[in-house]
Amino acid sequence: MTEGNHPTTGKRRPDRAALIIAAGLLLLAVVIAVDMQRLSNVASYARIGPQTVPLIIAMCLAGLAIWTAIEAWRGEFPEREPQEARPVLWIVGGLLAQIALLRFTGFSIATGVLFGFVAYGLGRKVLWIGIPVGIILALAVWILFAMGLSLTLPAGPLESAIQSLLRGQPA
Amino acid sequence: MNTFDFLMQGIAVATMPMNLLYALIGVTLGTAVGVLPGIGPALTVALLLPVTYRLDPAGSLIMFAGIYYGGMYGGSTTSILLNTPGESASIVTALEGNKMARAGRGGPALATAAIGSFVAGLLATLALAFVAPWVVSFALAFGPREYFALMVLAFVTVSATFGDSTLRGLTSLFLGLALGIFGIDQQTGQARMTFGVPDLLDGIEVTTLAVAMFAIGETLYVAAQGSRVAEKVEAVRGSIWMTATDWARSWKAWLRGTLIGFPIGAMPAGGADVASFLSYAAEKRASKHKHEFGKGAIEGVAGPEAANNASAAGTLVPLLTLGLPTTATAAIMLAGFQQYGLQPGPLLFTSNPQLVWGLIASLLIANFMLLILNLPLIGLWVRLLTIPKPWLYGGILLFATLGTIGANPSLVELGMLLVFGLLGYGLRVFGFPIAPVVVGLILGPMAEQHLRRALAISQGDPIVLLTSPISATLLGLAAVALILPMVLRAMGRGKALSQLASDSD
């Protein structure tokens, strides 16, 4: 990933962030080329095997890396808007929290935490209001999708409680 | 049977009560999600894909058709009332439509957009029904090399022809192509770029990539702008009905927009954004009220909206007849087909005619439903626009992760969602287009298969690609579409091209 902190470069001088993009492209090209060396060439009769097209793509990526580097060196990349890191970190944190919690707490609590973090990152004043709102919303979505459309979504304590509540009632 | 019989048969399929219900659910969900600011049709389709997982193929595709058309309608509402178009194709609509809304003529602006979309959708879907069999008869003669050449042309037009930089367009495309290598090679069964991770053997899911790039990338981008951008929803004041003058000024614009939009969508020549810009330019030239342009001219809403929808129907021509997606939305729809093991292309028309014609007929029906649904419910859609940003984006991420969790809640899949979300954010910050990544991912492996088949026939001699007149012509066109814009930009005349930039769909 090449984003992060990149100060605005108004002047026409080497653009460091764009140079990092060029390096990233080159790295991707090298990784592809190295990985293709593992493959055995079974289709030698056609002179084109599973590694041919990836190698062409890797060459093109390397070419684009050089081109990007030249533009970066000349400072020809467009100017960028200043980016705020704090909200980005809250959203990424929310996604990580959801991934970590999903297996243990079920869909609704994990997704509620994500919802709360995202809302806080986007300007809600209080973090603790977003999470319960998110949990209720996620639970409603879970009922609709897991029970209504039989999509498999990980269940936790809340989901099992709802399930037994709905099933336990006399029909 | 001729086209008319097939279409009648399709209408019989589409009007079965269950299918009508699916279409109704589709258009309602599509409009509701499409109305939300920041969500274009590509994301609408990607987010709502999980809803269709458990349906049978016909029902699912019919719901999909509704979602697609509904998302297009919803986008125009956002751009008229909010001036933040959710999709690049609606930028032009925002130009005149938002001015009209500010002047208290939001109602007629919404009405001309809705009726224009209906007229264009109707005519373009009929055109699709009549053009598709013709393209199919043509495409049956296509061999691997013709398909490969066609895909190369699509790669170039999607990535390099429009937008402000050939370099960044091509970089996005090759990122997508590189992501397409991941997984098991279809011909030899060897694992490529999997690094011993079993989850990667199936390759990278198009829906995961699209949802990550459009939903998570967009959310991160909006969040990182802080509170700099103030948004104001324009209330719909006064009558929503169009006056006689409005009608008189609109109807020609609708027809012109349709005429411009359909061919552009049908040829691999760029998406709906190109069509709507060209239509706007045409209306400005043809209008008797030139001084009103920029201040809220109704033709400037009517024409581009019609062009936008006509081109959306047009993109279904290459998608259904050739299996060739030319926009991000079409790429996701292709993924939707593939989840049922259906490969769009000429053979689908012969092997599964009820399905294809049911889909085309349900597009017609979705179009009628939208007209009936949209004008009376406009107040409800407007209320959706006033959802505060933190809740809105919290909800977007809820649904973005829902699809992946429902399909495959593995650590690797969710990790990919996060990584591609960050990648999508980075691409936005640096001005790289997103659509070529998505199109490259889905079309790359297909192009590779066709190339390898073509070269296997010729025992590895690449000249074979140029000995077929069709494939030579297509490759020639691709070369022109790549080089000409570079020359124009170098001569400092690239401004018009960057105006046609495909930045989201």
Side-chain angles (χ1 to χ4, degrees), chain B residues 62-392:
Chain B
I62 284 169
M63 194 189 274
F64 232 70
I67 291 170
Y68 184 37
Y69 273 24
M72 301 285 299
Y73 268 68
S76 64
T77 308
T78 325
S79 35
I80 289 169
L81 297 179
L82 202 64
N83 201 22
T84 47
E87 31 150 354
S88 47
S90 290
I91 290 171
V92 188
T93 312
L95 238 48
E96 299 297 327
N98 193 251
K99 295 272 161 44
M100 285 181 72
R102 280 190 204 165
R105 302 209 343 112
L110 290 168
T112 198
I115 301 170
S117 299
F118 169 74
V119 171
L122 187 69
L123 293 176
T125 310
L126 286 173
L128 162 70
F130 286 92
V131 170
W134 181 75
V135 180
V136 163
S137 66
F138 192 56
L140 281 171
F142 276 23
R145 53 190 173 175
E146 283 82 10
Y147 273 109
F148 175 72
L150 201 58
M151 286 170 182
V152 171
L153 177 61
F155 284 147
V156 172
T157 53
V158 168
S159 67
T161 307
F162 304 104
D164 56 4
S165 158
T166 309
L167 167 64
R168 284 189 293 281
L170 286 178
T171 306
S172 290
L173 172 69
F174 275 92
L175 273 178
L177 293 177
L179 295 175
I181 304 173
F182 286 65
I184 289 182
D185 171 44
Q186 290 170 34
Q187 280 189 15
T188 62
Q190 298 191 72
R192 300 190 295 192
M193 300 290 283
T194 55
F195 312 107
V197 180
D199 291 81
L200 287 176
L201 288 175
D202 283 338
I204 291 164
E205 291 280 340
V206 176
T207 41
T208 305
L209 182 81
V211 166
M213 293 238 156
F214 286 115
I216 300 180
E218 170 79 15
T219 306
L220 289 170
Y221 188 74
V222 168
Q225 306 311 303
S227 43
R228 255 172 290 150
V229 203
E231 286 171 355
K232 186 170 167 279
V233 181
E234 296 295 333
V236 181
R237 284 168 285 169
S239 163
I240 78 157
W241 299 109
M242 292 160 61
T243 62
T245 348
D246 290 339
W247 280 95
R249 288 175 61 177
S250 289
W251 71 270
K252 277 188 205 146
W254 294 335
L255 295 183
R256 268 195 296 265
T258 312
L259 273 179
I260 292 171
F262 182 75
I264 287 185
M267 295 182 291
D273 32 15
V274 180
S276 61
F277 270 102
L278 288 179
S279 161
Y280 183 74
E283 289 314 318
K284 206 169 172 180
R285 213 173 306 132
S287 174
K288 289 190 201 103
H289 309 268
K290 284 195 182 63
H291 60 281
E292 278 184 37
F293 272 79
K295 296 186 201 106
I298 195 162
E299 298 95 328
V301 180
E305 267 309 299
N308 185 354
N309 270 50
S311 124
T315 34
L316 294 174
V317 175
L319 180 68
L320 291 177
T321 59
L322 300 166
L324 189 76
T326 50
T327 60
T329 318
I332 299 162
M333 292 190 65
L334 180 57
F337 273 96
Q338 287 172 344
Q339 83 183 3
Y340 294 104
L342 298 167
Q343 181 59 47
L347 291 179
L348 194 65
F349 276 79
T350 45
S351 67
N352 235 330
Q354 335 70 301
L355 189 101
V356 180
W357 289 100
L359 175 67
I360 293 174
S362 60
L363 288 169
L364 290 174
I365 288 169
N367 214 6
F368 277 102
M369 285 180 172
L370 280 165
L371 187 69
I372 299 166
L373 196 72
N374 262 290
L375 291 176
L377 288 184
I378 204 73
L380 181 71
W381 305 139
V382 173
R383 214 158 310 149
L384 280 177
L385 280 176
T386 54
I387 298 175
K389 238 163 76 176
W391 299 141
L392 174 68

Side-chain angles (χ1 to χ4, degrees), chain A residues 1 3 6 17 21 25 28 31-32 35-36 38-40 42 45-50 53-54 57 60-61 64 67-68 71 77-78 80-84 87-88 91-92 95-96 98-99 102 107 111 114-115 118-119 122 124 130 137-138 141 145 149-154, chain B residues 50-51 53-54 166-168 170-171 174-175 177-178 181 185 188 190-193 195 216 219-226 228 388-391 393-395 397-399 401-402 405-406 411 414-415 418-419 422-423 425-426 429-430 432 448 451-452 455-456 459-460 486:
Chain A
M1 273 350 70
E3 66 285 324
H6 22 68
I21 296 177
L25 291 172
L28 181 61
V31 170
I32 295 173
D35 192 66
M36 290 312 125
R38 276 188 317 102
L39 303 180
S40 58
V42 282
Y45 142 82
R47 278 184 281 165
I48 171 163
V53 169
I57 293 173
C60 291
L61 278 170
L64 288 166
W67 189 354
T68 305
E71 283 211 355
F77 258 64
R80 295 177 285 278
E81 304 268 312
Q83 305 286 311
E84 286 179 23
V88 173
I91 295 171
V92 173
L95 285 164
L96 287 173
Q98 187 199 33
I99 296 173
L102 198 58
F107 175 76
T111 309
L114 165 71
F115 185 91
V118 172
L122 273 145
R124 276 277 121 179
L137 201 65
V141 166
F145 281 81
L149 289 165
S150 62
L151 201 69
T152 17
L153 296 170
Chain B
V51 180
Y53 277 161
R54 295 288 156 156
T166 309
L167 167 64
R168 284 189 293 281
L170 286 178
T171 306
F174 275 92
L175 273 178
L177 293 177
I181 304 173
D185 171 44
T188 62
Q190 298 191 72
R192 300 190 295 192
M193 300 290 283
F195 312 107
I216 300 180
T219 306
L220 289 170
Y221 188 74
V222 168
Q225 306 311 303
R228 255 172 290 150
K389 238 163 76 176
W391 299 141
Y393 283 97
L397 283 207
L398 188 164
F399 279 99
T401 52
L402 169 75
I405 294 174
L411 213 59
L414 288 166
L418 176 57
V419 169
L422 284 167
L423 180 65
Y425 167 61
V429 171
F430 289 92
F432 289 88
E448 183 190 358
L451 176 66
R452 280 163 71 179
L455 291 184
Q459 302 188 2
M486 286 170 75

